[in-house]
Amino acid sequence: MIRLRKVLFVALLCCAQFVMADRLTVSRQSVTIDFGESAAHSKGVYTIKRSVGRFGPREVVGRTRKSSWTDRKVSNPRQMYYWVENESGEQVSVLAYDIELFGLDVRIYRPTDNMDSIHNEVIRVHEELFRTDFSSKRYAELFQPGDYRAAGLLKVPFYVHLAGLGRTPYEVQVNNVHTPPHLANGNGTCTFWRSMENMSVIGPETYDEEETFKWSVSQAAPLRRVYAERTTRHQWGKGWVSGGFTADCYFAAPVGSDHQQQWYTRNSFLEKGRGIFKEMKYNYVFQGVELGKDADASTYVNNWDKGGNVTFLPTIPVIREKPFLFVDEDGRYKVFRPALRRNSSGVSYTRTFMGQGEALDLEREFFIAHPGVTAGTLNEALRSGKHLLFVPGMYEMEEPLHVTRPNTIVMGLGWTTLIPGEKNSDTAIRVDDVDGVTIASILFDAHYSSHTLVTLAQGGKRHVDNPTLLADLFFRVGGFRPAPVHVDCAIEIGSNDVIGDHFWIWRADHGVKKSVGWEVNTAPVGLHVVGDEVTMYALFNEHFQGYQTLWEGDGGRTYFYQCESPYDAREQQRYMSEDGKRCGFAAYKVAEHVNRHEAVGFGIYDVLFQTNIRIENSVEVPEKPGIRLYHICNNSLSAAGPRGIGFIYNGKVKSTYNTWRDNRTYIDEVKF
């Protein structure tokens, strides 16, 4: 028997609003609903209706004068939704196992649901969040295995996670997905904070603008574990875009764009390559990507020596795919933790096999966190050996979450946001130097001042066989709250052998009024790496006031880097490194004591509002035999005048300073 109880702030599916403190009790073949809190406001006979799923046909199954009722001999109690109406036909309560488990901001759909209702609800959420880039609302829209093509076009706005709950992406089929930009003229440079995973997009292979699968996004918008039969386009019309990230995806039709500034694609299969798309801008990295027989393999080659923009790396040295929620064959919700892979290429699954890894029962092995839970309660759960799964919402941590046990998973659904609380000047999460921790799918937001947003402790241990994974982690300093905020460093990695798989670390350049400015949201460093043998894939890190990335560990590797300068540096004398001796700060700084480091596929851009601001070098590294720089470009996005980057690296190869906008400079390879 499972008994769940919590206070829910409910927006009924019919759009009526009320407060509910009701209870649903599930046993093997019965469900008892207790709607006493809601019934306190209306007396008489209550009609109980039941549906299979959120939008299944409703049938009357009982009437009662009491404030509780039991449904006996239910074939699958976990799928049932119960609707309670008073004598006037007004809906006073809705109860379901899905709601009790995940809350109302996780919308779970089934193939027996009415497809028009699914479409309409998804579009309503899109309309609600379409322009709200600093909203506090978050949603997960999750689809049980089945065919949803009749639900039509699905649109994904800010703070929505669209995902299938199948074992493989082939088990959930949707018709099409778009991410319309909220800015004018198709401008997608601020199309952030949304995600899609573990589903198939089924439809015709065509370049028709409206018929393409348009995942037209910029930073913090991961596309994972997706199968696409439609042509996939990463651009909206002819608008600018500054993305993006793809991993573990299978594209049966062409995929690409013309004007994305950059894109990183990892462990994917491209049956037909980019098709007619030209990918004309700055930096495109394909790593561990397999090509089909219809792909033009000659265009997926390392071509920077000829002035090109493509980096093609055949394998991924070490990776573990991000964990995800699914429904297993026994009907229970579980979290799949994929196995570690070395020297891999292509996707991790087949049509009938979800891949190597382990399935963890959600109810037995996880503590499911809802907004309002205290950090103390969460730490008790961690100490007891539970993993954490956060449902959508914003969570202020009055003390750091402290991960002390190996193999712990801390993951979010629907754009979970963790905030160091006003009295917590330390961090949101602190991880001890232990094996195999996973932190995934979380936005860390600085509303107040703290030392970091995430800290992985130093300890000196090696974790070669079971490294920690940090996947889809996004960091925001400023922008949300109209008040000054300071963070010393967004994320500090002290442990060895850590894998970072897709970060966007952002000192906000825009936000609500009085939330950004050189003296308002202050932060010197985005990423500080102290641990050895740390590997980063798809590192986006920008606008910090000192070194954007400071790397002090040995044996580090970064594959793909996107960085813009701080827009708002106002005076050169206040923007100096090396004890005031060097103009500006390098976007990527490797400490002099480091002996081995690899930096591959970098796009570093100056965007400076003020004239007379010089950044001496975009990259600074020790000149030692173990240091390798491969495919690094700079580009000026500033207006003309005496401003920009002096040299690409170490005072060598003149860059963008005092040149005109869109002046791309680059190096092919440097070995010392």
Side-chain angles (χ1 to χ4, degrees), residues 616-630:
E616 189 67 15
N617 302 300
S618 73
V619 173
E620 293 176 359
V621 297
E623 298 191 3
K624 298 178 182 179
I627 307 294
R628 181 197 186 206
L629 307 179
Y630 188 59

Side-chain angles (χ1 to χ4, degrees), residues 360-378:
L360 306 171
D361 190 278
L362 181 67
E363 296 168 47
R364 295 169 182 158
E365 302 185 63
F366 280 77
F367 180 92
I368 303 174
H370 293 255
V373 68
T374 67
T377 298
L378 296 171

Side-chain angles (χ1 to χ4, degrees), residues 193-263:
W193 302 313
R194 63 203 73 194
S195 50
M196 178 178 174
E197 72 177 355
N198 201 33
M199 58 202 325
S200 295
V201 182
I202 306 298
E205 179 185 322
T206 174
Y207 290 101
D208 178 85
E209 178 79 11
E210 290 307 309
E211 291 296 321
T212 57
F213 165 30
K214 285 197 287 191
W215 194 254
S216 173
V217 297
S218 290
Q219 290 83 355
L223 191 67
R224 289 184 181 268
R225 203 175 170 91
V226 166
Y227 169 74
E229 289 186 358
R230 288 182 182 268
T231 299
T232 302
R233 193 166 189 264
H234 295 313
Q235 186 177 356
W236 198 274
K238 297 182 180 180
W240 302 341
V241 210
S242 181
F245 175 84
T246 298
D248 212 21
C249 291
Y250 190 116
F251 297 99
V255 53
S257 65
D258 292 337
H259 292 289
Q260 270 284 357
Q261 291 179 1
Q262 62 272 315
W263 199 277

Side-chain angles (χ1 to χ4, degrees), residues 40-180:
H41 303 289
S42 58
K43 304 296 183 181
V45 176
Y46 300 97
T47 299
I48 313 299
K49 294 182 179 180
R50 182 181 69 189
S51 65
V52 177
R54 186 176 183 85
F55 291 120
R58 301 182 196 177
E59 60 175 336
V60 175
V61 291
R63 290 183 171 85
T64 181
R65 288 185 174 275
K66 298 180 180 179
S67 59
S68 65
W69 181 83
T70 298
D71 192 5
R72 306 185 188 281
K73 296 183 179 180
V74 185
S75 59
N76 194 337
R78 293 167 179 263
Q79 294 188 5
M80 297 303 174
Y81 277 64
Y82 294 90
W83 316 82
V84 182
E85 296 179 358
N86 62 20
E87 289 182 336
S88 300
E90 298 170 329
Q91 199 162 271
V92 298
S93 185
V94 56
L95 303 98
Y97 183 78
D98 290 343
I99 294 172
E100 292 285 350
L101 200 61
F102 298 112
L104 285 172
D105 292 335
V106 176
R107 311 288 172 82
I108 295 179
Y109 305 116
R110 289 174 171 78
T112 54
D113 283 343
N114 180 279
M115 293 294 148
D116 288 340
S117 297
I118 294 175
H119 173 81
N120 292 338
E121 182 167 79
V122 170
I123 295 305
R124 279 199 301 271
V125 169
H126 177 263
E127 292 171 351
E128 177 187 357
L129 295 179
F130 174 48
R131 299 183 182 278
T132 54
D133 44 345
F134 294 95
S135 172
S136 60
K137 292 296 297 180
R138 281 108 174 84
Y139 295 101
E141 297 170 343
L142 309 180
F143 293 74
Q144 294 260 12
D147 187 341
Y148 298 86
R149 285 176 289 176
L153 176 65
L154 308 178
K155 296 182 180 181
V156 184
F158 289 107
Y159 306 116
V160 166
H161 175 59
L162 183 74
L165 291 171
R167 295 166 60 85
T168 73
Y170 305 102
E171 293 182 12
V172 174
Q173 298 182 336
V174 298
N175 178 52
N176 204 1
V177 176
H178 284 176
T179 56

Side-chain angles (χ1 to χ4, degrees), residues 250-478:
Y250 190 116
F251 297 99
V255 53
S257 65
D258 292 337
H259 292 289
Q260 270 284 357
Q261 291 179 1
Q262 62 272 315
W263 199 277
Y264 177 78
T265 304
R266 176 180 68 66
N267 281 104
S268 294
F269 184 84
L270 279 56
E271 174 66 40
K272 298 184 179 180
R274 64 175 61 82
I276 67 171
F277 298 122
K278 296 182 175 60
E279 295 177 336
M280 295 183 292
K281 303 303 281 185
Y282 313 134
N283 183 33
Y284 305 93
V285 176
F286 302 88
Q287 188 171 12
V289 171
E290 295 180 343
L291 301 172
K293 57 182 177 58
D294 294 326
D296 185 355
S298 66
T299 65
Y300 290 90
V301 295
N302 297 304
N303 63 6
W304 287 50
D305 60 331
K306 301 177 180 62
N309 54 19
V310 172
T311 302
F312 192 86
L313 306 171
T315 59
I316 296 289
V318 58
I319 193 64
R320 185 193 302 278
E321 296 297 339
K322 186 188 77 68
F324 61 92
L325 183 70
F326 75 105
V327 177
D328 209 348
E329 293 171 342
D330 59 5
R332 295 180 67 85
Y333 290 111
K334 295 180 182 178
V335 171
F336 186 67
R337 182 177 187 254
L340 194 70
R341 295 201 290 168
R342 297 187 185 276
N343 300 316
S344 64
S345 62
V347 299
S348 65
Y349 52 87
T350 69
R351 281 192 175 270
T352 57
F353 177 54
M354 70 188 302
Q356 298 289 344
E358 60 177 331
L360 306 171
D361 190 278
L362 181 67
E363 296 168 47
R364 295 169 182 158
E365 302 185 63
F366 280 77
F367 180 92
I368 303 174
H370 293 255
V373 68
T374 67
T377 298
L378 296 171
N379 280 325
E380 287 178 12
L382 289 170
R383 286 191 294 269
S384 72
K386 294 285 189 180
H387 306 289
L388 299 183
L389 182 133
F390 290 85
V391 304
M394 305 184 78
Y395 299 77
E396 284 201 15
M397 299 291 98
E398 72 274 14
E399 63 184 61
L401 297 185
H402 190 188
V403 178
T404 62
R405 301 170 67 97
N407 301 313
T408 299
I409 298 173
V410 178
M411 63 179 287
L413 282 180
W415 289 88
T416 292
T417 303
L418 301 189
I419 304 155
E422 188 171 8
K423 296 181 179 179
N424 175 8
S425 61
D426 185 6
T427 190
I429 295 183
R430 178 173 295 278
V431 181
D432 284 359
D433 189 30
V434 295
D435 279 351
V437 172
T438 297
I439 312 292
S441 300
I442 297 175
L443 169 62
F444 296 90
D445 206 355
H447 292 189
Y448 312 100
S449 295
S450 60
H451 173 54
T452 69
L453 299 177
V454 172
T455 296
L456 275 66
Q458 289 180 261
K461 300 176 184 177
R462 292 300 307 274
H463 307 283
V464 178
D465 295 330
N466 190 11
T468 283
L469 171 69
L470 309 174
D472 288 350
L473 300 189
F474 311 115
F475 304 82
R476 184 167 65 193
V477 180

